[in-house]
Amino acid sequence: MLKKVFLLVLFCICINTSANNGYKLWLQYKLVENEALRANYVSNLKAIHAFGDSETINMAMNELDLGFSGLLGTPLKHSKTINNKTLVFGSESFLSTQLKSKLQSDLNKINSEGFVIKSVQVAGNQNIVITGKTDVGVLYGVYHFLRLLQTNQSIENLNIVDSPKIDIRVLNHWDNLDRTVERGYAGFSIWDWHRLPGYIDKRYIDYARANASIGINGTVLTNVNANAYILSEAYIEKVKALADVFRPYGIKVYLTARFSAPIELGGLKTADPLDKEVIQWWKDKTAEIYKAIPDFGGFLVKANSEGQPGPQNYGRNHVDGANMLAEVVAPYNGIVMWRAFVYSEHDPEDRAKQAYDEFVPYDGQFKDNVLVQVKNGAIDFQPREPFHPMFGAMPKTPLMMEFQITQEYLGFSTHTVFLPELFKEVLEEDTWQKGKGSTVAKVVDGTLSNKKLTGIAGVANIGNDINWTGNTMLQANWYGYGRLAWNPYLEPKTIADEWLRCTFSNNSNFINPVEQMLLDSREAVVNYMTPLGLHHIMDTGHHYGPGPWVSDLSRPEWNPKYYHKADKLGVGFDRSKSGSHATGQYKSEVANVFDNVETCPEKYLLWFHHLPWDYKLKNGKSLWDGMALKYQEGVNQVADMNATWSKMKPYVDAERYHEISMFLKIQLNEAKWWRDACLLYFQQFSGEDLPAGVESPAHTLEYYQSLKFPYAPGN
Ligand code: BDP
C-alpha cells in the first residue's frame, strides 16, 4: 500500500514538472490535443508511400515517422502500394503518368527547391501527394506538411504550391576553432573540431533537421574573423564529415577564407590577389576542398575590415580580391560572399557613409558568382537602423542581406526580442531605386533587377547550450530568420504564430497573449536602449549594457560619444545636408524625407539630426521629456511581458516556463539599468528634471559608470 502511494506521488511529481529542456526546438511533435481534429487526421492518413529511396527521401520518411508518432500517437504504416488515404511523397520523376498529369501545372510553377502538396483523387482513391522537382524540394514539402498538423490546420482539399524566393539562405557561424563563439551567448560552438571527423555528434543531425525544416540551405561554419587553419588538410577532413551529414538535408557548407592564408598556410611571401603564385595556391586549395566536398558552397570573406587582411594590403581593391576567388571557385559552381562591412579610422567624418563610398563605384564590376554581403544598416546591427543605402544603389550587383540573429546589441541571450519584426522593417523599406515599390526585399530576392543569384545570411545565435540558443524564446529568431529567408514577404505575426504553436501549444489562451508579447518585444528593446534614433551607445568591447559616456577609445568611430554627440545644446548625429550628408546616399525620394526634420520619421530622428533638448516632438513633448518617456515606456513594456508570461504557467511545461520567467526578470532589471544610466548621463547636458511618469534612478551616474564586466561572454 505504502509503496503504491509512493509511486503515485512520484508519478504526480513527474507530471507536474514535465521536463522539457527545449532541445527539440520547434520540432516537438506533441500529441494533437484536440481529439476531434486528431481523429480527422487519423481518418485521412492511413499509410505512407515513398517514391525513390535516396538518403534525402529516407530522412523524410524518418521525419514523418517521428512526426506522426508524436502528433497522432502512432507512426503510419509504410505501404508498397497506393491505396485510399495514402500519403504519397517523392520527386516528380517517380510520379505515375496519372499523378503527373494532375500535378503538372503546379510543378511548372515551382523552382528546384519548391514543393507541391495536393489532395488528389486517382482511381477512386483519395490521396495526399507531396512532390517537387528534387528530393530536397520534397523534404521541404514534408516539413511543411508536418507543420500543418503541428499548427492544427486542416489537411483536407490541400493545394499548396511553394518555392523559396532567395537562392542562398545561410547561417553565418562566428565560431572559432577553439570553440569560442564571437558574439555568441549560448555556450560554446556546436562544432567539436577536436573530435571530428571520427565522432559525429547527434547534434549535427538535429541541427540539419532544424534548418531543413525552415528551408535554410547553407552554413558558413567559421568566424568572419577567419583562421587560415580551417583550410589545412586536417580540417578539410573535418569539414567533409560535417558536409556529409548535412548533404541529405539540402545544406551546403561554406568556409570563411582568410585573405592572407597563402602566406600563413602556403608559406608564400605575399597574398596579392594578382600574383600568379597566390592564384595558383588558391586554385590548388580549392581543388583539394572540392575533391573532399564536391558540393562545397564557396567562401565568405571579410577583407580590409577591422584589421582583417585583404587586397588593399597589396594596393589592390575589393573587386580584385573578390574576382580572383570567384574565378577560382567558378569551375565548381562555387560562390564568393564578399562582405561590405568596411570602415576606416582614417575617415573620421561619418562611419555610416564609408561602405557605400567604397563599394558603389564598383557596381557591375564583380564576377557573376560574387554576392556582396551587406549588413541591414550602415553602422552595425543596432536595435534600430535605417536600411543600408547600398541596397538602393547597386542595381548591377547581387546584394546579399546580412542580419544578426545573435543579440550582440540587443541584450545577449537573456532578453526576449522577437527579431522578425526588425528584419521585416528593413525588408519593407522602399529604396526607390526604380521608383516607388523598390523595396529592400525586392533587391534581395532579385526581382527588382532580374538577378540570377540571390542570397541572405543570418549570424547564428546557436551554441552548445542544451536548448541551442541559451533562451528558449530566442529559438524564435532562428526559426523566423529561416522562414523570412524562404519568403521575405511573410508577416512576423504569421511567423510568431507558427513558432509558438510548434514549440509550445495550440491553446488560444496561450497563443494570443504570447504572440502579442513577442510582436511588441522589438519596440520595447529599442525604447529602453536606443529610442528616437539613438545608436551605438553600448559599453565597449563586450557590448554588454549601456556606455554612452565612453569617449576614450583609440578609433573615433568606436566611441559612443561619436554617435550621440550630446552637449548642452542638444543631441544626435547630423547626417542631413547641413551635416555629414549621409542622407545623400539614398535616392532623392528617401533622402528628402530623412533630410527634413519635419518629415524624418521620429524613430530615426537622432540618427539623422542633431536637435536641441527643447525641440518639440510630434506629441508636443520636448525632446528631453520625450526621450525620458520612451526609456520609461520600454521598461513598462518589459514589465508587461513579465505579467503576460506569469499567467502562462498552465500552458507550458515547468522547465521552460521557469527558464523564461527567470530571463524576463533579468530583462526587466537590465531595461531599468539602461533607462537609468542613459537618462542620468544625458541629463548632465539637458539640465532638465525627469518628467512625471519616469521613475527615479536607483543609483548615481558614477555607480553605472563604475560597472565592469571583464568576463562578459562573446567578446
Ligand atoms: C561587429 C562585431 C564584431 C564582428 C564585426 C563583423 O562586434 O565582433 O567581427 O561586427 O561583422 O558587430 O565583422
Side-chain angles (χ1 to χ4, degrees), residues 382-387 421-430 522-523 526-527 529-535 575 593-594 597-609 611 615 617-618 623 630:
Q382 295 300 295
R384 170 166 281 140
E385 296 192 30
F387 71 93
E421 281 285 342
L422 186 164
F423 302 158
K424 196 61 201 290
E425 181 178 68
V426 177
L427 291 165
E428 272 175 352
E429 292 279 2
D430 197 342
R522 188 312 182 91
E523 205 56 40
V526 172
N527 287 337
M529 286 188 181
T530 53
L532 297 171
L534 285 171
H535 52 286
R575 295 193 167 102
V593 171
F594 290 156
V597 71
E598 295 298 319
T599 52
C600 179
E602 280 189 345
K603 60 183 182 179
Y604 301 136
L605 202 57
L606 304 177
W607 185 282
F608 288 116
H609 299 278
L611 296 168
Y615 172 81
L617 295 172
K618 302 234 154 59
L623 176 57
K630 279 277 176 200

Side-chain angles (χ1 to χ4, degrees), residues 174 305-306 339-343 350-357 359 372-392 399-405 408-410 422-429 431 440 444 456-457 459 522 533-536 563 575 582 585-586 594 604 607-608:
W174 286 359
S305 158
E306 299 186 328
R339 293 178 91 227
F341 179 65
V342 297
Y343 60 98
D350 185 0
R351 167 174 165 189
K353 288 172 66 179
Q354 294 180 11
Y356 177 105
D357 285 346
F359 274 84
V372 173
Q373 183 167 315
V374 186
K375 289 189 182 185
N376 58 273
I379 298 292
D380 196 2
F381 298 139
Q382 295 300 295
R384 170 166 281 140
E385 296 192 30
F387 71 93
H388 203 305
M390 279 177 70
F391 286 112
L399 297 181
M400 185 169 177
M401 172 64 76
E402 179 175 327
F403 285 130
Q404 194 180 44
I405 313 171
E408 175 180 0
Y409 301 103
L410 291 95
L422 186 164
F423 302 158
K424 196 61 201 290
E425 181 178 68
V426 177
L427 291 165
E428 272 175 352
E429 292 279 2
T431 68
V440 173
V444 174
I456 184 164
V459 181
R522 188 312 182 91
L534 285 171
H535 52 286
H536 209 288
Y563 296 94
R575 295 193 167 102
Q585 295 183 333
Y586 292 97
F594 290 156
Y604 301 136
W607 185 282
F608 288 116

Side-chain angles (χ1 to χ4, degrees), residues 560-571:
K561 268 199 162 178
Y562 169 97
Y563 296 94
H564 62 67
K565 303 197 188 304
D567 59 20
K568 298 260 181 239
L569 296 178
V571 60

Side-chain angles (χ1 to χ4, degrees), residues 315-336:
R316 315 295 180 194
N317 62 32
H318 288 289
V319 177
D320 298 326
N323 285 353
M324 181 274 287
L325 285 175
E327 262 179 65
V328 168
V329 296
Y332 310 93
N333 293 322
I335 61 160
V336 171

